[in-house]
Amino acid sequence: MRFGFALKKYSKIITLSLALSLIGASSAFGSERVVLTSIGSFAGTIVNNYEKDTGNINTSSENVSGGAENIEVVKQLRQETYIEKTLELINNERAKNSLSPLKLNDKLCGSAQQYAEYMYKNDYFDHTSKEGSTSYSRISATIPDLLSTGENIGSGFKNPNDVVSAWMNSKMHRGNILNASYEIVGIGYCEGYWVMDFGGYTS
């Protein structure tokens, strides 16, 4: 096992190599804290280096009046919009690299959404839950016949452009997004927590 730690003025890079290479990085921009981690069959070092994107999708519940019911409707709309936009962005990146698009899988989306909500409700951020479930165990329980799996997670990113930009500027996250063996993807979002689960039927 290897640990690497580097501290800069506004960024911290942490590298942890295990059997499945779990790597995480966090960065602070003023009072905003964003976090990324990725797991899959790749080794590398995260370099969290991206520019903030100004193209926010304006479905913020803060701008809605009419009670809790309307706020929940807007939150649901934002979640669905973010999932579709995130899928579009990652498939654009795959197209640039002559890779087939990932297909959104309802079962994987359900698993990813459940874990995004879990992290939000528990103020928690890790691929392994407090109860010990891992990204592999969650994905495999959802679709048992997958031969390759991976997961990207993020926290503190306000829109799909921000989180995908950050993932694409990280070797590990980029590796998952551009993995030719992955065919399907599930995307979850809950109040700034992002989960992207990958699956493939070939190793």
Side-chain angles (χ1 to χ4, degrees), residues 7-12 28:
L7 188 62
K8 295 182 180 179
K9 184 176 181 182
Y10 292 110
S11 66
K12 180 170 64 178

mmCIF file of all heavy atoms in Angstrom, residues 7-12 28:
data_model
loop_
_atom_site.group_PDB
_atom_site.id
_atom_site.type_symbol
_atom_site.label_atom_id
_atom_site.label_comp_id
_atom_site.label_asym_id
_atom_site.label_seq_id
_atom_site.Cartn_x
_atom_site.Cartn_y
_atom_site.Cartn_z
ATOM 1 N N LEU A 7 0.208 19.158 -0.550
ATOM 2 C CA LEU A 7 -0.670 20.261 -0.154
ATOM 3 C C LEU A 7 -0.248 21.535 -0.860
ATOM 4 O O LEU A 7 0.914 21.920 -0.821
ATOM 5 C CB LEU A 7 -0.622 20.467 1.359
ATOM 6 C CG LEU A 7 -1.621 21.455 1.950
ATOM 7 C CD1 LEU A 7 -3.050 20.972 1.701
ATOM 8 C CD2 LEU A 7 -1.388 21.608 3.444
ATOM 9 N N LYS A 8 -1.207 22.184 -1.536
ATOM 10 C CA LYS A 8 -0.952 23.464 -2.178
ATOM 11 C C LYS A 8 -1.876 24.503 -1.547
ATOM 12 O O LYS A 8 -2.640 24.206 -0.643
ATOM 13 C CB LYS A 8 -1.218 23.371 -3.685
ATOM 14 C CG LYS A 8 -0.265 22.417 -4.401
ATOM 15 C CD LYS A 8 -0.538 22.411 -5.886
ATOM 16 C CE LYS A 8 0.406 21.464 -6.613
ATOM 17 N NZ LYS A 8 0.134 21.429 -8.057
ATOM 18 N N LYS A 9 -1.822 25.722 -2.053
ATOM 19 C CA LYS A 9 -2.598 26.802 -1.450
ATOM 20 C C LYS A 9 -4.088 26.502 -1.445
ATOM 21 O O LYS A 9 -4.770 26.707 -0.458
ATOM 22 C CB LYS A 9 -2.328 28.121 -2.187
ATOM 23 C CG LYS A 9 -3.045 29.322 -1.531
ATOM 24 C CD LYS A 9 -2.669 30.609 -2.226
ATOM 25 C CE LYS A 9 -3.371 31.778 -1.549
ATOM 26 N NZ LYS A 9 -3.066 33.049 -2.216
ATOM 27 N N TYR A 10 -4.616 26.028 -2.579
ATOM 28 C CA TYR A 10 -6.040 25.778 -2.649
ATOM 29 C C TYR A 10 -6.382 24.337 -2.984
ATOM 30 O O TYR A 10 -7.519 24.041 -3.287
ATOM 31 C CB TYR A 10 -6.694 26.684 -3.710
ATOM 32 C CG TYR A 10 -6.683 28.136 -3.339
ATOM 33 C CD1 TYR A 10 -5.864 29.021 -4.021
ATOM 34 C CD2 TYR A 10 -7.477 28.619 -2.303
ATOM 35 C CE1 TYR A 10 -5.845 30.357 -3.686
ATOM 36 C CE2 TYR A 10 -7.447 29.949 -1.970
ATOM 37 C CZ TYR A 10 -6.647 30.814 -2.658
ATOM 38 O OH TYR A 10 -6.627 32.144 -2.330
ATOM 39 N N SER A 11 -5.424 23.445 -2.973
ATOM 40 C CA SER A 11 -5.759 22.081 -3.364
ATOM 41 C C SER A 11 -4.996 21.070 -2.552
ATOM 42 O O SER A 11 -3.913 21.326 -2.055
ATOM 43 C CB SER A 11 -5.480 21.862 -4.860
ATOM 44 O OG SER A 11 -4.105 21.955 -5.103
ATOM 45 N N LYS A 12 -5.596 19.914 -2.412
ATOM 46 C CA LYS A 12 -4.980 18.799 -1.729
ATOM 47 C C LYS A 12 -5.120 17.574 -2.610
ATOM 48 O O LYS A 12 -6.186 17.279 -3.117
ATOM 49 C CB LYS A 12 -5.669 18.544 -0.382
ATOM 50 C CG LYS A 12 -5.068 17.387 0.405
ATOM 51 C CD LYS A 12 -5.628 17.339 1.826
ATOM 52 C CE LYS A 12 -7.103 17.069 1.843
ATOM 53 N NZ LYS A 12 -7.633 16.965 3.196
ATOM 54 N N ALA A 28 -10.631 23.273 -2.385
ATOM 55 C CA ALA A 28 -11.481 24.330 -1.857
ATOM 56 C C ALA A 28 -11.377 25.564 -2.727
ATOM 57 O O ALA A 28 -10.293 25.965 -3.102
ATOM 58 C CB ALA A 28 -11.069 24.670 -0.424
#
